[in-house]
Amino acid sequence: PSSIERHSYDVLIVGAGGAGLRAAIAAHEAGARVAVICKSLLGKAHTVMAEGGIAAAMANVWPEDGWQVHFRDTMRGGKMLNHWRMAQLHAQEAPDRVQELEEWGALFDRTADGLISQRDFGGHRYARLAHVGDRTGLELIRTLQQRTVALGIDVYMECTVTKLFQSGQATSSAEKRASADGRITGAFAYWRESGRFVVFDAPTVVLATGGIGKSYKVTSNSWEYTGDGHALALQAGASLVNMEFVQFHPTGMVWPPSVKGILVTESVRGDGGVLRNSEGRRFMFDYIPEFFKAETADTEEEADGWYEDKAKHRRPPELLPRDEVARAINSEVKAGRGSPHGGVFLDIASRRSVEYIQRRLPSMYHQFKELADVDITAEPMEVGPTCHYVMGGVAVDPDTGESAIPGLYAAGEVAGGMHGANRLGGNSLSDLLVFGKRAGAAAAEAATRAEPAAGVSDDDVRAAAEAALAPFERQGGENAYTVQQDLQDVMHNLVGIIRTADEMEKALQDLGKLRERAQQISVEGHRQYNPGWHLSLDLANMLRVSECIARAALERTESRGGHTRDDFPATDDSWGAVNLHCTLDGESIAVRREPLPTMPDDLRQLFEEK
Ligand code: FAD
């Protein structure tokens, strides 16, 4: 261990997406010594792929909008399982976070009178998404990255964290939670290029590692989304909440096979695109749930009128929350009314001018032209559901982002609670900014209060290094890619968009076997730039997180938001009062029920008035 590269900071941020960078800026401004570590290059985090926009009740287009309306939409979209305090803070603070981005140099699209323009998205009552064409994530990352670099914050790129260090001798997760032991003392990582190790000593760690989509066969997520932060938190003794809720975005590309799953932004529908089946029918009118009837148009005339005059018309059913639209598409395809390649048609060509489509949706135009040879200004797209976002994540204190483990924080997609059973589009980018800032500031504050740490022991470093090198010690074992492919099939086929008890029990058995196989994976070659080795380490995380999803999904015997049970199709009020928390119990995952925190009366009233 004495030869291992070593650094010391007050706040260590794992992840350089929107949440990580916003946390880094806040921690730096609070006077902490901060490092950001990321698996890929700075500027390449998943956030860069975000298309449609940032939700914030700025009331630039609709003066009627305000944080209470945004809060109510978010809670209803999440089927009331969201942590009310997170949804409140998010709705209240998102406008300031967007404004601040502009002050730091972000160039948003404008309204005719020069304000930041806001566009329509599913589940949002008013046009609310601040955007830059359909490349909003790129502008957000560009702005935050520039600021991070200008402030002189240290960034460790292509560096992957495999373990968090904690004080004391506690080994089991339960012991760690029950004792003062388990306080964060640092993290262990390897350099992607050289395979060499690096140790960070730090009293606080902010996890900002994003999502888990790579455990599924069809996903809009990039290679980085292997649930590392979720698994690191579990291992440290923290709990994950809402893991049964995985968002399948209704519109991913379905053809050609090489691009299956790539996202088609919801803005296509927000800007006038409609969904049709093979018979040409706008089928979403057949799928308006009771819960949203009062606010959804039930004729094509009314739906089309909404684009011109929103005050006099109700919203088109194509803009229902994502879970509703994804299920409807799934049903149409199952009923034999799908498109030639197993999706449905998304048509904006017959509804908007060529000029309008190219101006509002430039990335979509190029994406389809280049990847599928389809001109979306002239013909419909073929689309179908794709695994997109995990609502579940580390259970945190709403105000600070701290988990149950002292010194361990989480923000962004890796944190849970904010979105409940289903996330509304645009609410992630705002979530990153609001809670990234909060977690960074709270971690900096805690780090300055923390007693000087004893430092990570040589024994702990040695153990972390041995665990990371274990795949090299085995001979003749399986290849990591085969195991990953089998995992993706299991999750896609058995824990996908529609679920049953039999299938999930089978999934849990299969996951057990995959875990055994993963422990036998051997890697060829040496430590320098060895993707097979990296994947073998990621796989352990993917398997843990997948088990959380399957166990929680089996436990929740109802359908709600991103979780649909064929054997329990109804939403059950008694489940509406409970969240499921997953923890690591020895080598397996334990699930426990926890009542929802009580919403104060003034907020509760917002749901009674309408
Ligand atoms: P990320 O941006 O994914 O960053 C994660 C970081 O963690 C990366 O830097 C990665 O390298 C690092 N990391 C991970 N594991 C490790 C490890 N072990 N060690 C070191 N570093 C690690 N949301 C919206 O609100 N509006 C939209 O319009 C929108 N469009 C989207 C379009 C697409 C195609 C996709 C896929 C998502 C979209 N989303 C959108 C969702 C949103 O983009 C993500 O939820 C959000 O960007 C997640 O940000 P994050 O900061 O939590 O994580």
Side-chain angles (χ1 to χ4, degrees):
S2 57
S3 63
I4 290 182
E5 179 184 347
R6 207 153 172 152
H7 303 276
S8 171
Y9 290 96
D10 297 322
V11 180
L12 201 61
I13 299 188
V14 188
L21 294 178
R22 189 63 192 83
I25 294 167
H28 175 90
E29 283 172 346
R33 292 174 307 134
V34 184
V36 178
I37 311 176
C38 54
K39 221 159 135 158
S40 57
L41 291 170
L42 183 60
K44 292 281 176 198
H46 204 77
T47 301
V48 89
M49 294 161 75
E51 295 165 359
I54 310 177
M58 306 176 83
N60 288 354
V61 177
W62 287 90
E64 297 88 331
D65 203 6
W67 76 261
Q68 291 92 339
V69 194
H70 192 182
F71 166 77
R72 180 176 179 273
D73 291 347
T74 300
M75 293 293 303
R76 280 170 59 84
K79 305 288 149 64
M80 305 303 285
L81 289 192
N82 328 47
H83 195 307
W84 65 266
R85 176 68 178 156
M86 291 180 93
Q88 179 190 29
L89 289 170
H90 167 260
Q92 286 174 331
E93 295 177 5
D96 285 350
R97 295 290 76 77
V98 173
Q99 207 66 55
E100 174 181 82
L101 275 189
E102 186 175 56
E103 283 155 24
W104 294 348
L107 295 169
F108 289 101
D109 290 354
R110 304 266 136 202
T111 62
D113 31 0
L115 300 172
I116 291 177
S117 169
Q118 301 194 269
R119 68 158 40 119
D120 283 298
F121 244 51
H124 292 282
R125 180 165 184 152
Y126 298 113
R128 186 179 281 150
L129 269 70
H131 57 96
V132 183
D134 53 5
R135 300 182 182 126
T136 312
L138 178 63
E139 187 67 359
L140 186 146
I141 282 288
R142 188 190 65 76
T143 308
L144 294 177
Q145 182 184 328
Q146 239 168 33
R147 192 160 178 88
T148 303
V149 171
L151 293 173
I153 295 170
D154 290 348
V155 180
Y156 295 80
M157 288 189 251
E158 301 209 291
C159 185
T160 305
V161 172
T162 59
K163 179 158 179 55
L164 300 176
F165 293 120
Q166 294 169 273
S167 63
Q169 303 301 317
T171 48
S172 79
S173 310
E175 273 170 13
K176 285 175 188 165
R177 278 191 303 279
S179 65
D181 259 8
R183 160 168 277 290
I184 290 295
T185 55
F188 184 83
Y190 66 85
W191 290 106
R192 204 154 118 89
E193 197 184 333
S194 64
R196 299 183 71 82
F197 296 134
V198 45
V199 170
F200 295 90
D201 291 279
T204 62
V205 167
V206 180
L207 295 173
T209 50
I212 59 103
K214 273 295 164 194
S215 296
Y216 282 84
K217 189 159 81 181
V218 179
T219 178
S220 65
N221 290 183
S222 71
W223 66 271
E224 291 178 79
Y225 267 20
T226 52
D228 294 4
H230 288 77
L232 288 168
L234 275 178
Q235 203 104 42
S239 71
L240 304 184
V241 63
N242 292 149
M243 288 307 289
E244 65 276 39
F245 299 112
V246 175
Q247 181 167 85
F248 292 85
H249 193 291
T251 60
M253 292 177 81
V254 293
W255 184 258
S258 59
V259 300
K260 193 164 179 167
I262 290 186
L263 193 74
V264 181
T265 176
E266 189 166 322
S267 319
V268 177
R269 282 170 286 136
D271 287 350
V274 295
L275 292 163
R276 294 185 200 280
N277 62 19
S278 58
E279 296 161 3
R281 181 173 170 77
R282 256 177 94 172
F283 58 85
M284 278 311 300
F285 288 100
D286 305 334
Y287 294 91
I288 304 170
E290 204 51 51
F291 192 67
F292 291 108
K293 275 221 159 101
E295 55 205 62
T296 310
D298 51 15
T299 64
E300 292 201 24
E301 292 70 44
E302 184 178 7
D304 288 347
W306 176 86
Y307 288 101
E308 309 308 324
D309 183 352
K310 293 180 169 113
K312 293 218 177 70
H313 302 85
R314 291 175 298 174
R315 305 166 60 79
E318 282 86 0
L319 290 177
L320 282 164
R322 289 177 175 172
D323 52 324
E324 309 290 354
V325 183
R327 266 193 302 271
I329 293 176
N330 201 61
S331 303
E332 286 297 306
V333 174
K334 269 201 169 160
R337 295 187 290 270
S339 65
H341 299 107
V344 294
F345 296 106
L346 172 59
D347 168 30
I348 191 160
S350 73
R351 298 180 46 89
R352 295 289 181 263
S353 70
V354 174
E355 185 278 327
Y356 180 93
I357 297 169
Q358 287 182 344
R359 177 167 50 83
R360 298 278 292 189
L361 302 163
S363 304
M364 286 304 109
Y365 176 74
H366 289 293
Q367 181 172 313
F368 273 88
K369 199 90 190 112
E370 280 159 29
L371 301 178
D373 199 23
V374 167
D375 177 356
I376 68 167
T377 66
E379 49 192 321
M381 297 157 249
E382 276 186 68
V383 296
T386 177
C387 174
H388 184 57
Y389 184 88
V390 62
M391 271 66 77
V394 184
V396 291
D397 173 72
D399 288 72
T400 63
E402 193 170 24
S403 71
I405 301 302
L408 183 62
Y409 297 74
E413 192 167 340
V414 68
M418 161 65 206
H419 304 285
N422 173 54
R423 173 179 72 90
L424 294 186
N427 268 2
S428 171
L429 293 185
S430 40
D431 164 0
L432 311 181
L433 296 171
V434 168
F435 294 103
K437 175 175 193 282
R438 284 182 159 272
E445 210 260 322
T448 51
R449 263 191 289 115
E451 315 239 314
V456 178
S457 74
D458 282 356
D459 281 353
D460 283 352
V461 173
R462 205 171 293 117
E466 272 171 23
L469 291 173
F472 285 108
E473 302 299 320
R474 295 188 287 257
Q475 305 293 322
E478 250 188 294
N479 173 312
Y481 292 94
T482 320
V483 180
Q484 184 192 26
Q485 233 171 41
D486 290 351
L487 167 66
Q488 290 171 333
D489 282 337
V490 168
M491 294 306 284
H492 180 86
N493 296 333
L494 303 176
V495 201
I497 190 164
I498 309 284
R499 300 156 174 185
T500 66
D502 290 352
E503 289 181 349
M504 285 183 293
E505 274 156 13
K506 167 90 171 61
L508 284 165
Q509 279 172 11
D510 290 354
L511 289 172
K513 290 185 204 137
L514 286 167
R515 223 178 26 239
E516 283 168 23
R517 286 170 56 191
Q519 280 158 6
Q520 298 309 319
I521 288 172
S522 57
V523 293
E524 305 278 323
H526 42 69
R527 281 163 67 176
Q528 270 134 0
Y529 197 80
N530 189 333
W533 175 38
H534 305 161
L535 180 61
S536 73
L537 299 175
D538 293 346
L539 252 178
N541 300 330
M542 297 165 85
L543 283 161
R544 280 228 194 287
V545 171
S546 298
E547 187 182 341
C548 290
I549 297 171
R551 285 212 186 277
L554 181 61
E555 179 88 4
R556 184 172 285 276
T557 46
E558 65 154 357
S559 294
R560 182 184 294 267
H563 171 64
T564 305
R565 292 281 300 253
D566 220 13
D567 43 359
F568 295 94
T571 301
D572 175 342
D573 283 349
S574 62
W575 272 110
V578 191
N579 271 331
L580 295 176
H581 286 245
C582 296
T583 47
L584 194 59
D585 184 10
E587 272 309 293
S588 56
I589 299 295
V591 182
R592 71 169 193 279
R593 300 180 184 202
E594 271 199 16
L596 297 190
T598 313
M599 191 188 291
D601 286 344
D602 57 330
L603 294 182
R604 184 155 294 284
Q605 271 166 15
L606 295 171
F607 300 89
E608 284 153 14
E609 284 159 11
K610 309 273 154 59

